[in-house]
Amino acid sequence: DTEVTQTPKHLVMGMTNKKSLKCEQHMGHRAMYWYKQKAKKPPELMFVYSYEKLSINESVPSRFSPECPNSSLLNLHLHALQPEDSALYLCASSPGLGENTGELFFGEGSRLTVL
Amino acid sequence: TQLLEQSPQFLSIQEGENLTVYCNSSSVFSSLQWYRQEPGEGPVLLVTVVTGGEVKKLKRLTFQFGDARKDSSLHITAAQPGDTGLYLCAGEDSGTYKYIFGTGTRLKVLA
């Protein structure tokens, strides 16, 4: 199984809503990532978890709250978002930080629209 | 922080033409990856280059890693409409372990 599965594929939410994005991988990878991608731009790193611990937070606003319940799951909790947060949110995994050739495996993304 | 600059940013060519995309950095990377991304989907890994001067071929795509491991190129021979997409180089910052992407090259191949 070489897939990274993200749900939901599409999400529309109001600025007062609370929602979550979910990501799952069963490749035994120990590093998991959240990226944000605006239209026609490259992905921007948000968070990195290594061995279920938050290793990197790229100064992301607190309205985005990541969670790694176990080595296979990664969540991104959303609260009080702004319209400019609308984007494609990508989850990825890799065998480990600094342990491999650096290849990331991506999910198909969750398209978020904030009204 | 290591940066990866890609050129050109946009490229629109006719089917059958050849093209080269460049990925440049002032820093050394232990490896570089190339991805292709289609609209609304996640990036898909094409290749990893590890050794300075390395050349890898994937059908009509040829990837090269610079001798100093600071740059890489992607050459497509006889481009086809199915090659259309966003091409991204990427690598792991050896100091911070941040996995960063290049600025991207948007390719459109016209039939």
Side-chain angles (χ1 to χ4, degrees), chain A residues 35-82:
Chain A
Y35 283 84
K36 173 183 177 180
Q37 187 176 27
K38 302 286 274 185
K40 301 184 180 180
K41 297 290 186 182
E44 296 175 16
L45 183 63
M46 299 176 72
F47 302 104
V48 182
Y49 274 82
S50 177
Y51 289 86
E52 301 165 41
K53 287 185 168 39
L54 184 62
S55 293
I56 296 173
N57 177 343
E58 286 288 270
S59 301
V60 179
S62 60
R63 57 186 185 270
F64 295 92
S65 176
E67 179 195 19
C68 190
N70 62 56
S71 59
S72 299
L73 295 174
L74 185 66
N75 299 322
L76 186 61
H77 302 298
L78 315 170
H79 175 54
L81 295 193
Q82 304 295 311

Side-chain angles (χ1 to χ4, degrees), chain A residues 9 33 35 37 40-43 45 56 58 88 90 97-98 101-104 106-108 111, chain B residues 31 33 35 37 40-43 45 48 50 86 88 92 96-103 106:
Chain A
K9 195 165 175 63
Y33 309 71
Y35 283 84
Q37 187 176 27
K40 301 184 180 180
K41 297 290 186 182
L45 183 63
I56 296 173
E58 286 288 270
L88 181 68
L90 293 162
L97 290 186
T101 56
E103 297 169 350
L104 264 60
F106 282 86
E108 293 192 340
R111 171 73 60 191
Chain B
S31 69
Q33 284 75 44
Y35 295 82
Q37 184 179 22
E41 298 184 6
L45 180 68
T48 293
V50 179
L86 176 66
L88 296 158
E92 186 176 80
T96 65
Y97 298 128
K98 293 180 184 179
Y99 194 80
I100 60 173
F101 281 87
T103 46
R106 191 164 296 277

Side-chain angles (χ1 to χ4, degrees), chain B residues 58-99:
Chain B
L58 185 65
K59 296 184 181 177
R60 292 175 295 99
L61 278 59
T62 301
F63 304 86
Q64 186 161 6
F65 203 11
D67 291 340
R69 291 185 290 130
K70 292 184 178 181
D71 55 84
S72 181
S73 64
L74 157 60
H75 182 79
I76 301 180
T77 303
Q80 299 178 1
D83 296 327
T84 294
L86 176 66
Y87 288 82
L88 296 158
C89 63
E92 186 176 80
D93 184 309
S94 56
T96 65
Y97 298 128
K98 293 180 184 179
Y99 194 80

